[in-house]
Amino acid sequence: MRKLSAFEMSRRNLLVGTATSVAIATSGIAKAQNDKAQNSVSSPLTAARPDAPAMATVSFSVNGEVRALELDTRTTLLDALREHLHLTGTKKGCDHGQCGACTVIVDGQRINSCLTLAVMHEGDSITTIEGLGTPEHMHPMQAAFVKHDGFQCGYCTPGQICSAVAVLDEIKAGIPSHVTGDLNAAPEFSNAELRERMSGNICRCGAYSNIAEAITEVAGRPA
Ligand code: FES
Ligand code: FES
């Protein structure tokens, strides 16, 4: 019989070892699939409807009114407001946190409502553009946007106004921004602070100079 060379020996060992590993891995996968199948059969929820979404109840205050919703846990706050509560003033632009059209104020802080799940806001207080003012009694920021023509198509405007209201509160609260020079001093309202803080709100119509004039007036500074 022909004697195997050292190379052929190691190649054979490698093939045998690989085949063993594949067999072990395959049996592991089969076991995991079997376990999963057994578990899903034993769960009454998944047995009834394996693709059923996980649902949860969430309750929060929207514009001063307590609202309770039964939602798919994947529902964003933006979709909860627009699709479930029919508050369509808050707009969906990009749905990816890039345009600011969906900005609302939650417990005094502005957030992109497309980037957060509704079920994360149990007990929170949410203000949308509908809660800031009405056509008869506009919030000073809404009135300033009208006065300074701070919009064209208006799609970005609810987000711009909610953001602007929160920006002035942030400055009043002494919260610094990326362009604040002295982090130990209270930030001052300035053109640079305004542009930096509003940079997350995109206006496709380019109404920026009028938006800046409106916010500057409400801040109590000469335009
Ligand atoms: Fe939320 Fe654009 S829709 S940031
Ligand atoms: Fe049209 Fe801003 S007014 S996008």
Side-chain angles (χ1 to χ4, degrees):
M1 188 167 60
R2 186 175 70 89
K3 278 182 83 175
L4 292 175
S5 69
F7 171 74
E8 285 171 317
M9 285 286 285
S10 61
R11 184 169 170 272
R12 172 174 292 192
N13 289 344
L14 175 69
L15 290 173
V16 169
T18 304
T20 308
S21 303
V22 169
I24 291 169
T26 308
S27 74
I29 291 167
K31 183 175 181 313
Q33 284 174 338
N34 193 30
D35 290 350
K36 192 177 170 193
Q38 282 182 352
N39 287 341
S40 65
V41 167
S42 64
S43 159
L45 264 181
T46 50
R49 194 178 148 198
D51 61 340
M55 303 295 287
T57 303
V58 61
S59 170
F60 39 53
S61 157
V62 183
N63 301 329
E65 198 180 329
V66 175
R67 310 297 298 263
L69 295 171
E70 172 87 2
L71 296 172
D72 181 326
T73 51
R74 298 165 294 182
T75 307
T76 62
L77 180 58
L78 174 60
D79 285 342
L81 293 170
R82 286 183 57 85
E83 310 300 332
H84 294 263
L85 298 178
H86 309 298
L87 292 168
T88 52
T90 306
K91 298 294 186 259
K92 182 181 282 190
C94 62
D95 211 17
H96 283 84
Q98 294 172 348
C99 73
C102 64
T103 306
V104 297
I105 302 169
V106 177
D107 291 341
Q109 291 191 319
R110 58 195 171 131
I111 64 167
N112 289 334
S113 59
C114 71
L115 285 187
T116 185
L117 297 173
V119 293
M120 294 165 65
H121 294 283
E122 177 67 33
D124 285 356
S125 178
I126 299 158
T127 303
T128 69
I129 191 70
E130 291 92 342
L132 281 181
T134 63
E136 297 75 34
H137 298 100
M138 286 192 281
H139 185 281
M141 192 65 77
Q142 291 172 313
F145 268 64
V146 172
K147 177 180 166 189
H148 290 275
D149 219 7
F151 51 88
Q152 289 179 39
C153 76
Y155 198 80
C156 72
T157 312
Q160 300 277 4
I161 291 176
C162 285
S163 209
V165 168
V167 159
L168 297 190
D169 288 343
E170 282 164 21
I171 294 174
K172 257 189 233 151
I175 298 170
S177 80
H178 182 64
V179 298
T180 305
D182 182 356
L183 296 182
N184 293 315
E188 295 271 324
F189 182 90
S190 68
N191 200 31
E193 286 281 0
L194 171 61
R195 284 169 193 275
E196 164 60 21
R197 290 174 192 261
M198 290 297 294
S199 62
N201 290 83
I202 309 300
C203 176
R204 190 172 170 174
C205 299
Y208 295 113
S209 58
N210 299 37
I211 291 169
E213 280 176 16
I215 302 172
T216 303
E217 179 177 293
V218 179
R221 299 299 168 107

